[in-house]
Amino acid sequence: MIYLPTIELQTKYFFYSIFVGVLIALIYDLFRLIRKIIYKKINPKLYLSDILTPIIASLLLTVFTVVFGFGQIRIYSILGSIIGFVIYINTVGLLTFRIEDFLSFIISKGIAFFVVKPILFLLKVLKKIKCILYNELNQRKTGDLSEQGE
């Protein structure tokens, strides 16, 4: 027995697929933000996010097709996902791109201020303590040697 969905179900399926495309674009934006914050230079780990994005997208589309499309892949669902992705990237994505630049700048400066600077300060203090202890140890050694010579 073949299942033939009604026009109403197919229309809902198409609009849901547009929403899935927007969701995929949001995931892409999230990976883009993480990339901007963490990886300033070309890094092999950067390629991991480039591989994860289509894997997550394909899993999301597969689950969507099984749940809403009754396991039948329809061309309008794939087109709907592509349309949703393109609409998001060309509208909201342009705004989020600017926001991501600002957020990556703020977050990287925040990490530098709240993480890196305290660590550098601790290293500086530890270095001074090491110098003081080293000088104290050298004074004791030279003091012991001068006492033995008398």
Side-chain angles (χ1 to χ4, degrees):
M1 186 166 128
I2 299 174
Y3 174 74
L4 297 172
T6 63
I7 296 294
E8 178 186 357
L9 285 176
Q10 290 181 22
T11 306
K12 284 182 182 178
Y13 185 46
F14 175 72
F15 286 118
Y16 289 154
S17 67
I18 291 174
F19 177 72
V20 169
V22 169
L23 192 60
I24 291 169
L26 283 169
I27 293 168
Y28 173 75
D29 260 354
L30 178 69
F31 279 126
R32 187 171 60 184
L33 177 64
I34 292 170
R35 224 181 307 169
K36 283 184 180 182
I37 293 171
I38 296 176
Y39 306 118
K40 298 292 182 190
K41 299 177 183 173
I42 295 177
N43 191 333
K45 294 176 187 173
L46 180 75
Y47 299 119
L48 180 66
S49 68
D50 290 339
I51 293 170
L52 278 177
T53 303
I55 290 173
I56 292 171
S58 63
L59 288 173
L60 192 62
L61 282 172
T62 302
V63 169
F64 171 74
T65 301
V66 169
V67 172
F68 290 103
F70 305 102
Q72 297 177 350
I73 299 173
R74 306 222 178 236
I75 191 72
Y76 58 83
S77 68
I78 295 170
L79 288 175
S81 298
I82 292 170
I83 289 169
F85 184 87
V86 168
I87 287 173
Y88 177 87
I89 292 298
N90 289 322
T91 56
V92 179
L94 296 175
L95 178 65
T96 59
F97 188 73
R98 291 185 182 132
I99 292 171
E100 286 171 356
D101 284 340
F102 178 72
L103 280 177
S104 66
F105 175 77
I106 295 296
I107 291 172
S108 63
K109 292 298 180 186
I111 288 172
F113 184 75
F114 290 110
V115 177
V116 175
K117 284 195 178 189
I119 289 173
L120 291 175
F121 176 74
L122 284 174
L123 288 174
K124 193 180 212 182
V125 169
L126 289 173
K127 190 174 182 181
K128 286 183 180 181
I129 291 172
K130 181 188 120 188
C131 288
I132 291 170
L133 290 175
Y134 182 75
N135 290 337
E136 184 68 30
L137 186 63
N138 277 341
Q139 286 178 356
R140 285 187 182 178
K141 282 183 179 180
T142 57
D144 288 344
L145 291 176
S146 65
E147 288 176 11
Q148 288 176 356
E150 292 176 9

